Amino acid sequence: MYREPPARPVHGRTFTQDARRAQIVEATIETLAEIGYTRTSFTAICRHANLSSTGLISYHFAGKPQLLREVTRTIVEKAGTLRACRVAQETTYRGKLAAYISSHFDFMAAFPAHARALTEIAELVREGPAPGLDDVARSALSVEGLVVLLEEGCRAGEFRVSDPAVLALAVHGAIDNVVRHHELFAVADLDRLARELTDIFTRCTLSP
Protein backbone atom coordinates (compact mmCIF):
# COMPACT_ATOMS: atom_id res chain seq x y z
CA MET A 1 0.00 0.00 0.00
CA TYR A 2 1.34 3.44 -0.94
CA ARG A 3 2.16 5.83 1.86
CA GLU A 4 3.11 9.46 1.68
CA PRO A 5 6.77 10.08 2.61
CA PRO A 6 7.24 11.82 5.96
CA ALA A 7 7.43 15.60 5.85
CA ARG A 8 10.65 15.51 7.88
CA PRO A 9 13.47 12.99 8.19
CA VAL A 10 13.61 10.98 11.37
CA HIS A 11 16.35 13.20 12.84
CA GLY A 12 14.04 16.24 12.70
CA ARG A 13 15.54 18.31 9.86
CA THR A 14 13.64 19.06 6.68
CA PHE A 15 14.87 17.68 3.37
CA THR A 16 15.74 21.24 2.32
CA GLN A 17 17.90 21.64 5.42
CA ASP A 18 19.60 18.32 4.74
CA ALA A 19 20.32 19.39 1.17
CA ARG A 20 21.83 22.67 2.38
CA ARG A 21 23.99 20.85 4.94
CA ALA A 22 25.19 18.46 2.24
CA GLN A 23 26.01 21.42 -0.02
CA ILE A 24 28.06 23.03 2.75
CA VAL A 25 29.88 19.77 3.50
CA GLU A 26 30.79 19.26 -0.18
CA ALA A 27 31.97 22.87 -0.45
CA THR A 28 34.11 22.38 2.66
CA ILE A 29 35.66 19.25 1.16
CA GLU A 30 36.53 21.15 -2.02
CA THR A 31 37.93 24.05 -0.01
CA LEU A 32 40.09 21.82 2.18
CA ALA A 33 41.41 20.04 -0.90
CA GLU A 34 42.20 23.26 -2.72
CA ILE A 35 43.68 25.55 -0.04
CA GLY A 36 44.31 23.34 3.01
CA TYR A 37 43.01 23.36 6.55
CA THR A 38 44.66 26.55 7.83
CA ARG A 39 43.18 28.69 5.06
CA THR A 40 39.75 27.08 5.15
CA SER A 41 37.31 29.52 6.73
CA PHE A 42 33.58 30.01 6.59
CA THR A 43 34.21 32.85 4.14
CA ALA A 44 36.24 30.62 1.82
CA ILE A 45 33.58 27.90 2.05
CA CYS A 46 30.89 30.44 1.16
CA ARG A 47 32.73 31.28 -2.04
CA HIS A 48 32.80 27.61 -3.06
CA ALA A 49 29.14 27.03 -2.15
CA ASN A 50 27.95 30.35 -3.60
CA LEU A 51 26.30 31.21 -0.30
CA SER A 52 25.34 34.78 0.41
CA SER A 53 26.49 34.79 4.03
CA THR A 54 28.60 32.84 6.50
CA GLY A 55 25.53 32.95 8.72
CA LEU A 56 24.01 30.24 6.55
CA ILE A 57 26.86 27.95 7.59
CA SER A 58 26.58 28.95 11.24
CA TYR A 59 22.87 28.13 11.13
CA HIS A 60 23.66 24.50 10.34
CA PHE A 61 27.01 24.09 12.14
CA ALA A 62 27.94 25.60 15.50
CA GLY A 63 31.55 26.08 14.46
CA LYS A 64 34.43 24.82 12.39
CA PRO A 65 35.05 21.71 14.57
CA GLN A 66 31.45 20.55 14.17
CA LEU A 67 31.57 21.14 10.43
CA LEU A 68 34.86 19.25 10.10
CA ARG A 69 33.41 16.41 12.13
CA GLU A 70 30.57 16.07 9.62
CA VAL A 71 33.01 16.36 6.73
CA THR A 72 35.17 13.57 8.18
CA ARG A 73 32.14 11.35 8.84
CA THR A 74 30.93 11.88 5.27
CA ILE A 75 34.29 11.03 3.70
CA VAL A 76 34.95 8.02 5.94
CA GLU A 77 31.47 6.65 5.24
CA LYS A 78 31.90 7.05 1.47
CA ALA A 79 35.34 5.42 1.50
CA GLY A 80 34.16 2.65 3.82
CA THR A 81 31.21 1.82 1.59
CA LEU A 82 33.46 1.55 -1.45
CA ARG A 83 35.98 -0.61 0.42
CA ALA A 84 33.34 -2.92 1.89
CA CYS A 85 31.76 -3.43 -1.53
CA ARG A 86 35.11 -4.27 -3.15
CA VAL A 87 36.12 -6.67 -0.36
CA ALA A 88 32.72 -8.41 -0.29
CA GLN A 89 33.01 -9.24 -4.00
CA GLU A 90 36.08 -11.42 -3.38
CA THR A 91 35.82 -15.08 -2.37
CA THR A 92 39.39 -15.61 -1.10
CA TYR A 93 41.25 -13.74 1.62
CA ARG A 94 44.09 -13.01 -0.78
CA GLY A 95 41.51 -11.40 -3.04
CA LYS A 96 40.00 -9.51 -0.11
CA LEU A 97 43.41 -8.14 0.90
CA ALA A 98 44.06 -7.03 -2.67
CA ALA A 99 40.62 -5.38 -2.80
CA TYR A 100 41.23 -3.68 0.56
CA ILE A 101 44.46 -2.13 -0.69
CA SER A 102 43.24 -1.22 -4.17
CA SER A 103 40.03 0.35 -2.82
CA HIS A 104 42.10 3.16 -1.28
CA PHE A 105 43.49 4.00 -4.72
CA ASP A 106 40.10 3.56 -6.36
CA PHE A 107 38.75 6.10 -3.89
CA MET A 108 41.58 8.54 -4.66
CA ALA A 109 40.88 8.23 -8.36
CA ALA A 110 37.10 8.58 -8.05
CA PHE A 111 37.03 11.23 -5.31
CA PRO A 112 40.35 13.13 -5.36
CA ALA A 113 39.02 16.11 -3.40
CA HIS A 114 37.63 13.84 -0.68
CA ALA A 115 40.94 11.99 -0.38
CA ARG A 116 42.90 15.24 -0.14
CA ALA A 117 40.50 16.72 2.41
CA LEU A 118 40.78 13.61 4.58
CA THR A 119 44.57 13.86 4.44
CA GLU A 120 44.33 17.46 5.69
CA ILE A 121 42.12 16.41 8.60
CA ALA A 122 44.31 13.42 9.45
CA GLU A 123 47.38 15.68 9.57
CA LEU A 124 45.51 18.03 11.91
CA VAL A 125 44.77 15.17 14.31
CA ARG A 126 48.33 13.85 14.14
CA GLU A 127 49.72 17.26 15.11
CA GLY A 128 47.82 17.40 18.40
CA PRO A 129 44.42 17.47 20.11
CA ALA A 130 41.55 18.47 17.85
CA PRO A 131 38.54 19.13 20.11
CA GLY A 132 35.35 17.56 18.80
CA LEU A 133 37.20 15.84 16.00
CA ASP A 134 39.61 13.35 17.56
CA ASP A 135 37.29 10.37 17.78
CA VAL A 136 35.83 10.48 14.28
CA ALA A 137 39.16 11.36 12.66
CA ARG A 138 40.99 8.61 14.52
CA SER A 139 38.38 6.14 13.33
CA ALA A 140 39.52 6.99 9.80
CA LEU A 141 43.05 5.96 10.78
CA SER A 142 41.93 2.73 12.47
CA VAL A 143 43.40 -0.56 11.23
CA GLU A 144 40.89 -2.72 13.11
CA GLY A 145 39.04 -3.86 9.99
CA LEU A 146 42.25 -4.97 8.31
CA VAL A 147 43.40 -6.79 11.44
CA VAL A 148 40.16 -8.79 11.40
CA LEU A 149 40.61 -9.60 7.71
CA LEU A 150 44.17 -10.84 8.29
CA GLU A 151 43.15 -12.90 11.33
CA GLU A 152 40.35 -14.55 9.39
CA GLY A 153 42.75 -15.25 6.53
CA CYS A 154 45.12 -16.94 8.98
CA ARG A 155 42.33 -19.11 10.39
CA ALA A 156 41.32 -20.06 6.85
CA GLY A 157 44.90 -21.17 6.17
CA GLU A 158 45.52 -18.61 3.41
CA PHE A 159 47.82 -16.36 5.42
CA ARG A 160 50.69 -16.92 7.77
CA VAL A 161 51.10 -13.77 9.85
CA SER A 162 52.70 -13.76 13.29
CA ASP A 163 51.20 -10.41 14.30
CA PRO A 164 48.24 -9.20 12.17
CA ALA A 165 48.11 -5.85 14.00
CA VAL A 166 51.71 -5.01 13.09
CA LEU A 167 51.19 -6.02 9.47
CA ALA A 168 47.98 -3.97 9.32
CA LEU A 169 49.91 -0.92 10.53
CA ALA A 170 52.58 -1.57 7.90
CA VAL A 171 49.94 -1.79 5.16
CA HIS A 172 48.30 1.46 6.23
CA GLY A 173 51.65 3.18 6.64
CA ALA A 174 52.62 2.22 3.11
CA ILE A 175 49.28 3.38 1.72
CA ASP A 176 49.56 6.72 3.56
CA ASN A 177 53.07 7.33 2.23
CA VAL A 178 52.05 6.48 -1.32
CA VAL A 179 49.06 8.84 -0.99
CA ARG A 180 51.34 11.66 0.16
CA HIS A 181 53.79 10.97 -2.66
CA HIS A 182 50.92 11.03 -5.14
CA GLU A 183 49.69 14.38 -3.81
CA LEU A 184 53.17 15.91 -4.00
CA PHE A 185 54.20 14.54 -7.38
CA ALA A 186 50.85 13.74 -9.05
CA VAL A 187 51.68 10.13 -9.87
CA ALA A 188 49.27 9.21 -12.63
CA ASP A 189 49.30 5.42 -12.56
CA LEU A 190 47.41 4.65 -9.36
CA ASP A 191 46.54 1.18 -10.64
CA ARG A 192 50.23 0.29 -10.85
CA LEU A 193 50.84 1.56 -7.33
CA ALA A 194 47.95 -0.53 -6.03
CA ARG A 195 49.26 -3.64 -7.83
CA GLU A 196 52.78 -3.17 -6.49
CA LEU A 197 51.65 -2.72 -2.89
CA THR A 198 49.28 -5.65 -3.20
CA ASP A 199 52.07 -7.87 -4.50
CA ILE A 200 54.43 -6.83 -1.69
CA PHE A 201 51.98 -7.49 1.11
CA THR A 202 50.55 -10.63 -0.43
CA ARG A 203 54.06 -12.06 -0.37
CA CYS A 204 54.29 -11.12 3.33
CA THR A 205 51.15 -13.05 4.18
CA LEU A 206 51.45 -16.20 2.07
CA SER A 207 51.07 -19.48 3.84
CA PRO A 208 53.70 -22.10 2.86
Side-chain angles (χ1 to χ4, degrees), residues 8 18 29 66 75 99 101 114 118 123 146 153 162 182-183 208:
R8 288 173 176 267
D18 274 351
I29 290 170
Q66 187 185 66
I75 298 173
I101 294 172
H114 289 66
L118 187 59
E123 287 297 331
L146 181 54
S162 58
H182 171 71
E183 289 171 349

Side-chain angles (χ1 to χ4, degrees), residues 21-200:
R21 283 172 63 90
Q23 179 190 13
I24 293 169
V25 166
E26 289 300 314
T28 304
I29 290 170
E30 293 170 7
T31 305
L32 283 166
E34 182 177 323
I35 63 177
Y37 169 78
T38 56
R39 295 172 61 194
T40 294
S41 63
F42 279 12
T43 299
I45 295 167
C46 273
R47 286 198 294 269
H48 273 278
N50 293 319
L51 299 176
S52 59
S53 168
T54 58
L56 291 173
I57 301 177
S58 299
Y59 175 80
H60 293 281
F61 300 97
K64 193 173 179 180
Q66 187 185 66
L67 174 54
L68 288 180
R69 182 182 178 86
E70 182 63 16
V71 164
T72 305
R73 187 200 64 76
T74 298
I75 298 173
V76 170
E77 184 177 278
K78 187 183 289 287
T81 299
L82 174 64
R83 182 167 57 251
C85 181
R86 295 281 197 275
V87 171
Q89 290 173 351
E90 300 295 331
T91 58
T92 68
Y93 284 100
R94 289 183 63 183
K96 290 179 184 296
L97 176 60
Y100 185 97
I101 294 172
S102 64
S103 69
H104 288 78
F105 297 93
D106 292 341
F107 184 76
M108 287 173 58
F111 306 101
H114 289 66
R116 177 60 191 160
L118 187 59
T119 298
E120 285 289 318
I121 295 169
E123 287 297 331
L124 172 66
V125 173
R126 287 190 183 102
E127 289 173 2
L133 190 61
D134 281 353
D135 59 339
V136 68
R138 290 187 190 283
S139 72
L141 305 174
S142 172
V143 298
E144 183 178 347
L146 181 54
V147 171
V148 171
L149 190 157
L150 292 171
E151 289 175 340
E152 290 177 348
C154 287
R155 287 194 291 271
E158 290 190 36
F159 297 155
R160 184 180 62 179
V161 180
S162 58
D163 193 331
V166 171
L167 183 59
L169 287 171
V171 171
H172 268 261
I175 291 172
D176 286 347
N177 280 321
V178 170
V179 168
R180 291 174 186 172
H181 184 80
H182 171 71
E183 289 171 349
L184 286 172
F185 302 105
V187 178
D189 196 349
L190 292 177
D191 287 340
R192 183 184 65 80
L193 293 176
R195 288 195 303 271
E196 290 293 333
L197 279 186
T198 298
D199 181 64
I200 290 169

